[in-house]
Amino acid sequence: MTSNSSKQLFQPIKVGTQQLQHRIVLAPLTRTRADRQGIPTDLITDYYSQRATPGGLLIAEATAISSKVGRPKFAPGIYNQEQLAGWKPVVAGVHAKQGVIFQQLWHTGRTFAPTANDTLVSASAIPIPGVDPASGKPYPTPTALTIPEIKTIIQEFAQAAKNAIQAGFDGVEIHGANGYLIDQFNNTSSNQRTDIYGGSIENRARFALEVVDAVVAAIGAERTAIRFSPYYGFQGMHDENPLATWTYLTQSLQSSHPNLAFLHFIEPRTNIRTDDTVYAVESESLDAFRSIWKGPFVSAGGYSFDPHVAFKVAEQSSNNLVAFGRSFISNPDIVHRLRHDYPLHPYDRKTFYTAGAPGYTDYPTFAQEQQKSSL
Ligand SMILES: Cc1cc2nc3c(=O)[nH]c(=O)nc-3n(C[C@H](O)[C@H](O)[C@H](O)COP(=O)(O)O)c2cc1C
């Protein structure tokens, strides 16, 4: 039987306070299976527990940090006692299998309003370009946050991080990617402020770095991580000089918080709306950021289609980890499959954001697939 156990992907690595046994990570995936109040359901406990492995890192789905943050229907929150209590069995299920779980902390900014009557907020009063396919109308224009409002949101990130630790999570990943609030500050297309949070790279990056400072002060650097997507145009993101912007962010974190649990970057070739690996601009790469950051470096995007790329990425440096999104949805036992070179089960895009078990907790393990085919 083929075994990849001796490969770098299966070598232990220390991440924050945790000793991991391999480097295959569950990427954060919104799956809309919480209840209307954003409280995790039993189904969510099953889902994460199915994907837990001894010393394996799971990053739980994007989770709203406050009641003032808009979120998709049935996406979870971590801002009240009921939600916090709802997360406890989820975390306990992962820990029972000696797994490690971080929570992703989310402020959606201009992408979602908390209720139909609330206004959207962002770095500047700039809407997502184009027409919202849901309404058939142009995306609404957000209001630009004031400096006191920015300071409040920074404290909300810190409080949500404390809540996550109280629920039992091993750490948090700040969502700084994919066109949500932090990304809206980082990118020139959505940030045209003229105060200390806009203009120069230093000013645009200030919000992200202050959120990291506050979360580190609340729960410690070794329990804190952040995710970025420098080259991903999702939800209207565009930066005039992504290499310079995220080089500055990475350098700043390396000098101010070298003990962060990890930095997480999305590969430039990612497009979650298509079912293949998209090379928008071949020359774009995460290498510059990898070479600056000395701690654990997680990358995600496209490995779902060719896991052998993940093996290669892991070989390239002693501190690389790789996260799988879509293939981890459809392969609860992906770690086992990659260890033995077993084929991956295809995912069903139609059930990404639906309700209930179908396409969520009913994907077979390799052993179950084999059993079925031998009947
Ligand atoms: C259904 C779905 C939900 C996602 N939700 C999130 C999320 O909550 N937070 C986040 O940072 N990225 C999210 N992503 C992006 C994934 O974390 C990952 O970066 C992306 O799927 C690329 O990896 P893959 O090619 O292995 O799928 C989502 C992607 C998918 C397909």
Side-chain angles (χ1 to χ4, degrees):
M1 190 204 292
T2 314
S3 174
N4 288 317
S5 294
S6 61
K7 303 234 166 103
Q8 181 80 347
L9 200 56
F10 288 95
Q11 299 315 302
I13 183 168
K14 188 146 188 276
V15 163
T17 57
Q18 304 295 321
Q19 182 65 46
L20 301 186
Q21 296 307 321
H22 61 79
R23 293 146 186 246
I24 299 164
V25 177
L26 171 69
L29 295 158
T30 294
R31 302 303 311 281
T32 59
R33 262 72 171 191
D35 75 6
R36 265 179 204 286
Q37 281 72 45
I39 302 171
T41 54
D42 293 347
L43 208 53
I44 296 186
T45 298
D46 294 346
Y47 170 81
Y48 286 107
S49 159
Q50 284 178 346
R51 284 156 183 77
T53 53
L57 173 62
L58 308 182
I59 305 170
E61 65 217 76
T63 303
I65 58 164
S66 101
S67 61
K68 290 176 249 99
V69 172
R71 57 187 161 85
K73 221 194 243 179
F74 305 116
I78 182 76
Y79 50 82
N80 63 37
Q81 286 305 313
E82 292 76 17
Q83 294 163 347
L84 196 153
W87 281 110
K88 283 187 177 172
V90 178
V91 174
V94 173
H95 286 166
K97 293 176 84 175
Q98 287 101 50
V100 173
I101 183 163
F102 273 49
Q103 179 156 56
Q104 195 185 44
L105 300 183
W106 199 22
H107 193 306
T108 52
R110 71 182 185 180
T111 63
F112 287 97
T115 71
N117 299 327
D118 284 302
T119 45
L120 295 166
V121 298
S122 186
S124 295
I126 302 171
I128 299 174
V131 169
D132 179 356
S135 67
K137 295 187 196 143
Y139 285 98
T141 302
T143 55
L145 288 161
T146 64
I147 289 185
E149 286 168 340
I150 291 172
K151 302 286 181 201
T152 300
I153 291 172
I154 291 169
Q155 285 320 308
E156 286 170 347
F157 269 102
Q159 183 58 50
K162 285 189 196 164
N163 295 352
I165 297 303
Q166 222 187 312
F169 282 97
D170 300 298
V172 301
E173 175 182 275
I174 298 161
H175 198 341
N178 297 352
Y180 296 107
L181 186 63
I182 291 175
D183 216 17
Q184 291 161 29
F185 274 81
N186 287 338
N187 279 273
T188 48
S189 65
S190 44
N191 184 345
Q192 290 172 14
R193 299 176 73 97
T194 51
D195 62 7
I196 57 162
Y197 289 98
S200 64
I201 292 176
E202 289 78 359
N203 282 353
R204 280 181 283 115
R206 189 182 307 280
F207 177 55
L209 296 174
E210 288 184 355
V211 171
V212 176
D213 288 344
V215 171
V216 166
I219 63 168
E222 293 191 320
R223 295 185 191 279
T224 305
I226 186 161
R227 187 176 216 209
F228 293 126
S229 53
Y231 299 106
Y232 192 21
F234 194 50
Q235 314 201 96
M237 287 298 101
H238 174 76
D239 192 67
E240 277 159 19
N241 192 342
L243 178 61
T245 301
W246 278 271
T247 293
Y248 172 77
L249 277 156
T250 311
Q251 275 169 344
S252 303
L253 292 170
Q254 181 59 46
S255 62
S256 58
H257 299 295
N259 296 330
L260 289 183
F262 56 89
L263 291 197
H264 188 173
F265 276 81
I266 299 181
E267 292 275 10
R269 60 172 172 270
T270 310
N271 184 342
I272 62 166
R273 292 189 169 157
T274 63
D275 296 316
D276 54 12
T277 305
V278 180
Y279 286 90
V281 182
E282 288 273 357
S283 58
E284 290 174 346
S285 144
L286 301 181
D287 287 351
F289 319 119
R290 265 201 191 94
S291 68
I292 297 166
W293 180 249
K294 304 299 173 221
F297 189 101
V298 182
S299 58
Y303 311 139
S304 278
F305 304 104
D306 186 2
H308 294 100
V309 177
F311 279 92
K312 269 198 218 140
V313 170
E315 299 295 339
Q316 278 160 10
S317 133
S318 60
N319 55 342
N320 283 349
L321 297 96
V322 290
F324 287 82
R326 287 161 285 186
S327 287
F328 219 143
I329 289 179
S330 54
N331 294 274
D333 61 342
I334 194 169
V335 176
H336 179 67
R337 290 181 190 241
L338 294 182
R339 191 186 289 278
H340 297 293
D341 258 340
Y342 294 152
L344 296 181
H345 190 88
Y347 59 81
D348 176 11
R349 176 177 289 283
K350 291 193 300 297
T351 52
F352 279 173
Y353 305 112
T354 47
Y360 190 54
T361 49
D362 64 351
Y363 280 109
T365 61
F366 186 68
Q368 287 164 339
E369 263 181 338
Q370 293 298 99
Q371 241 173 15
K372 211 171 156 196
S373 65
S374 68
L375 287 179

